[in-house]
């Protein structure tokens, strides 16, 4: 396909699948902004890799089973965005990122996701030797590559099993507030956020009587007084200096 044909397909697919119920979490961007961003991603990627002869594609969104121990007691399953094999026999595990931030090399050298996929790929065929992990940060038109030694993969297996055991032994899962809360669709059942949803549905007469709302209103009043007193004190200080 030519770039124009690919962009026509993108436009047509966008128009077919976009609907008003899609939530845009970033208040600074509109629907048309995301559409243009997607178009630029495609253009940059096409120009960088055309005619796409870097290797043979073995799978797109391919499921991979990851055995962490010899007994098969601990297993994970993942989906590889794209699995390639180059002419020299190297297997490449590709992952596509649309993040607005570009990580440094040392962070990707410690990334566990694609390294776990490598463990799975190595068990799929007998000829898997050299494996390279490849991240495509399409917002920057940049790829980051990394490799793992066998001893690093063995350590990753051990660490992952330890993490699984820790999760299984945990009995209380407390909410953890982070920047990702802004993207969450489950705030209405989250202990940290569900109150604002419950209060928001109350009629005006009950809303104002809610204990949380009362506290916020009282705080606002006191904060306003504090600002006025502070301004008055500054005025008196100026008069004393004169």
């Amino acid at each position: 396909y030519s770039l124009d044909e690919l962009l026509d397909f993108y436009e047509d697919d966008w128009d077919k699948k976009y609907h008003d119920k899609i939530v845009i979490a970033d208040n600074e961007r509109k629907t048309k902004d995301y559409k243009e961003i997607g178009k630029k991603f495609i253009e940059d990627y096409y120009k960088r890799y055309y005619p796409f002869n870097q290797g043979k594609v073995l799978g797109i969104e391919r499921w991979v089973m990851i055995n962490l121990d010899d007994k098969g007691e601990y297993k994970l399953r993942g989906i590889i965005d794209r699995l390639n094999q180059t002419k020299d026999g190297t297997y490449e595990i590709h992952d596509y990122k649309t993040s607005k931030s570009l990580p440094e090399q040392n962070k990707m050298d410690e990334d566990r996701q694609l390294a776990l996929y490598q463990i799975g790929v190595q068990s799929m065929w007998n000829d898997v030797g050299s494996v390279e992990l490849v991240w495509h940060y399409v917002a920057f038109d940049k790829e980051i590559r990394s490799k793992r030694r066998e001893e690093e993969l063995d350590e990753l297996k051990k660490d992952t099993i330890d993490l699984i055991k820790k999760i299984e032994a945990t009995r209380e899962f407390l909410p953890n507030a982070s920047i990702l809360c802004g993207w969450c669709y489950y705030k209405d059942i989250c202990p940290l956020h569900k109150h604002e949803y419950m209060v928001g549905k109350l009629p005006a007469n009950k809303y104002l009587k809610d204990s949380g709302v009362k506290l916020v209103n009282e705080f606002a009043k006191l904060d306003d007084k504090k600002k006025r007193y502070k301004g008055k004190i500054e005025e008196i200080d100026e008069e004393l200096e004169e």
Side-chain angles (χ1 to χ4, degrees):
Y1 292 98
S2 68
L3 178 57
D4 288 338
E5 288 174 324
L6 194 59
L7 291 175
D8 286 342
F9 174 82
Y10 170 71
E11 291 273 354
D12 183 59
D13 204 45
W14 179 285
D15 293 339
K16 286 179 180 177
K17 295 180 179 179
Y18 181 80
H19 53 81
D20 294 336
K21 292 184 179 180
I22 293 177
V23 177
I24 297 178
D26 189 343
N27 295 326
E28 297 180 359
R29 287 178 173 171
K30 305 297 182 183
T31 302
K32 63 179 182 179
D33 297 324
Y34 280 101
K35 187 175 183 180
E36 287 303 311
I37 289 171
K39 182 179 178 181
K40 185 178 186 305
F41 289 173
I42 293 171
E43 289 176 339
D44 289 344
Y45 189 88
Y46 189 95
K47 292 173 182 177
R48 171 184 277 269
Y49 294 105
Y50 182 83
F52 307 103
N53 57 359
Q54 293 81 15
K56 182 187 298 182
V57 177
L58 302 180
I60 299 292
E61 294 189 347
R62 176 156 187 156
W63 284 96
V64 58
M65 183 63 70
I66 304 151
N67 290 309
L68 299 175
D69 65 316
D70 295 334
K71 296 180 180 179
E73 183 178 356
Y74 295 98
K75 296 180 179 180
L76 297 174
R77 190 168 66 165
I79 301 177
I80 299 173
D81 285 352
R82 177 163 62 93
L83 182 62
N84 257 36
Q85 187 176 25
T86 62
K87 293 178 181 179
D88 67 358
T90 298
Y91 283 77
E92 293 180 336
I93 299 172
H94 293 258
D95 197 53
Y96 293 86
K97 302 294 187 184
T98 59
S99 173
K100 292 187 289 185
S101 61
L102 182 67
E104 296 180 4
Q105 181 68 48
N106 59 357
K107 180 179 179 181
M108 306 316 292
D109 288 338
E110 297 176 354
D111 181 87
R112 71 171 64 190
Q113 180 190 0
L114 296 200
L116 285 168
Y117 291 172
Q118 177 176 341
I119 294 171
V121 169
Q122 287 177 332
S123 67
M124 293 168 71
W125 298 287
N126 293 330
D127 68 339
V128 179
S130 176
V131 178
E132 193 159 15
L133 314 179
V134 187
W135 293 266
H136 297 271
Y137 279 82
V138 292
F140 300 90
D141 188 23
K142 185 175 179 62
E143 68 173 36
I144 301 175
R145 291 176 174 264
S146 182
K147 287 188 175 183
R148 297 292 186 275
R149 301 188 306 274
E150 282 303 317
E151 52 266 34
E152 291 177 312
L153 296 178
D154 290 339
E155 187 66 24
L156 177 59
K157 290 179 184 178
K158 179 180 178 300
D159 291 344
T160 306
I161 290 174
D162 289 342
L163 181 58
I164 291 173
K165 290 179 178 179
K166 181 179 178 181
I167 293 172
E168 290 178 338
T170 301
R171 293 294 175 265
E172 185 178 19
F173 294 89
L174 299 175
N176 182 24
S178 75
I179 192 173
L180 297 177
C181 291
W183 300 78
C184 184
Y185 297 108
Y186 303 99
K187 288 184 178 179
D188 57 334
I189 61 174
C190 174
L192 293 180
H193 297 280
K194 66 179 181 181
H195 182 263
E196 60 190 81
Y197 283 84
M198 294 171 61
V199 171
K201 295 178 181 179
L202 294 175
N205 60 328
K206 291 186 177 180
Y207 175 85
L208 295 174
K209 294 179 181 179
D210 178 81
S211 59
V213 174
K214 286 182 178 180
L215 283 173
V216 172
N217 288 339
E218 183 65 20
F219 175 83
K221 291 178 182 178
L222 292 173
D223 190 55
D224 182 61
K225 286 183 179 180
K226 177 182 175 182
K227 291 177 181 177
R228 284 190 279 112
Y229 287 144
K230 183 179 179 181
K232 189 65 176 177
I233 291 172
E234 290 175 352
E235 290 177 7
I236 294 174
D237 284 341
E238 290 177 1
E239 292 179 5
L240 290 174
E241 289 177 0
E242 293 176 357

